[in-house]
Amino acid sequence: MSGPSIRSLRQLAIGSSQAMRPTAPAFTIASTSSRNLTARFLSTAAVQATRLPKPKKPTTQTPKPTTPPVVPYKRYRQPKPELTKFPEGHGEQIWVYNNIVTNQVVYSHTPVLRSNRALKQLPFNGKKTKPAKLRKDYWRPMALIQFGEGEGVVGQSVFQKLREFRRLHELSWGHQKNDMYALDRKALGEALNDQRANSIADMAAVLAGAGQGNRIQVRGAEVSASTSAVVPADGKLAEAIVFWANDQDRNIAGSWSKNVRHAAGLPPLTRVRQSEEEELLAA
């Protein structure tokens, strides 16, 4: 009689091993999920308990502080003119150019009139009053203001005051207001462009010390109590020489101060113009 087959013995071994394996309780998953939910609820409640309640917004608006905020002290920076890279003697000469057609006036520190800088000085006074480009055959040097050697700062200050005074002539018409309003648009633009006589009068006033902060006045100046004019303490102003292309132009101004001397004719400009043009081409 033959014994049990190998196949039947193998099936019996597999069945006995499965019967001996412990089974997990049915409530394990449910108990684990309930524990997690309980722990999460407790942690959320603890965090909410530790938080402070939000403050309520006040019903009445608090007035804004009227005192300005305290600004920290800022150290004054000393001027550094060497960083401007100006050539030596910059500001010692002021060239006054005049348009022979419209009598417009342009100021320059160089004998060569630079188009991009000159156009910035010309205002727009109406249609066809400001050229798109400068024609050099229309512009002629009218005068040259020469200061002493090393007085470039004085020349720069005078240059600034001359431009400020010309802007006042263009915007503030004074006693001529009614006459200017009576002109049509074209005539008004031509009248505003004609600044030749005003520029000569401005030169006489600025070289006499007019204008707040004018550095032609010697340091130590005092303001007179009777008038708003600034009078130097020692009555001294920086010396200046005005070279005129036409010597009769200086008579347009009513008077000139004692620190100004006049000379007929402009200095020769051939060599100066060539050197300036070479520098412009090299740049």
Side-chain angles (χ1 to χ4, degrees), residues 99-120:
N99 191 309
I100 60 177
V101 177
T102 61
N103 276 337
Q104 291 174 295
V105 176
V106 167
Y107 303 102
S108 175
H109 280 305
T110 58
V112 177
L113 190 61
R114 300 182 180 181
S115 177
N116 57 340
R117 296 187 178 182
L119 284 174
K120 293 180 181 180

Side-chain angles (χ1 to χ4, degrees), residues 36-270:
N36 293 337
L37 291 175
T38 305
R40 186 179 300 176
F41 175 77
L42 293 176
S43 61
T44 306
V47 170
Q48 292 180 355
T50 55
R51 289 180 180 176
L52 297 176
K54 295 182 179 180
K56 296 182 179 180
K57 295 182 179 180
T59 55
T60 59
Q61 296 181 356
T62 57
K64 296 182 179 180
T66 56
T67 57
V70 179
V71 180
Y73 174 77
K74 187 176 181 180
R75 186 176 180 181
Y76 174 73
R77 294 184 179 180
Q78 296 292 337
K80 299 179 180 179
E82 63 275 3
L83 299 180
T84 58
K85 298 181 180 180
F86 286 140
E88 186 178 357
H90 178 75
E92 297 176 2
Q93 292 182 345
I94 300 177
W95 294 85
V96 184
Y97 280 86
N98 175 42
N99 191 309
I100 60 177
V101 177
T102 61
N103 276 337
Q104 291 174 295
V105 176
V106 167
Y107 303 102
S108 175
H109 280 305
T110 58
V112 177
L113 190 61
R114 300 182 180 181
S115 177
N116 57 340
R117 296 187 178 182
L119 284 174
K120 293 180 181 180
Q121 299 185 29
L122 299 179
F124 178 78
N125 294 324
K127 189 176 181 181
K128 302 294 183 180
T129 58
K130 182 176 181 178
K133 296 181 180 179
L134 287 185
R135 291 186 54 175
K136 292 187 177 181
D137 56 338
Y138 279 6
W139 294 88
R140 292 288 184 269
M142 181 179 66
L144 167 63
I145 306 175
Q146 178 71 50
F147 296 95
E149 186 177 357
E151 295 182 350
V153 178
V154 176
Q156 295 176 26
S157 178
V158 172
F159 183 90
Q160 177 186 2
K161 297 305 172 186
L162 289 174
R163 292 190 59 179
E164 290 177 356
F165 281 20
R166 187 186 59 187
R167 179 57 59 89
L168 286 177
H169 289 304
E170 295 166 352
L171 301 179
S172 179
W173 301 336
H175 65 280
Q176 299 177 344
K177 179 173 63 175
N178 296 331
D179 298 337
M180 299 292 279
Y181 278 127
L183 300 175
D184 58 351
R185 183 173 60 182
K186 183 178 180 180
L188 179 61
E190 293 176 354
L192 291 177
N193 282 344
D194 188 359
Q195 296 292 331
R196 181 170 174 270
N198 291 334
S199 298
I200 296 175
D202 293 343
M203 290 166 57
V206 173
L207 293 178
Q212 185 177 4
N214 192 349
R215 293 196 175 185
I216 198 172
Q217 303 168 3
V218 180
R219 292 298 180 91
E222 299 177 354
V223 180
S224 60
S226 58
T227 61
S228 59
V230 179
V231 181
D234 51 0
K236 186 178 180 181
L237 300 173
E239 298 290 336
I241 305 175
V242 182
F243 297 90
W244 297 96
N246 184 2
D247 191 34
Q248 299 299 323
D249 288 344
R250 65 177 182 177
N251 298 326
I252 296 177
S255 61
W256 294 85
S257 55
K258 296 181 180 180
N259 64 315
V260 181
R261 292 182 296 168
H262 302 274
L266 296 174
L269 307 177
T270 306

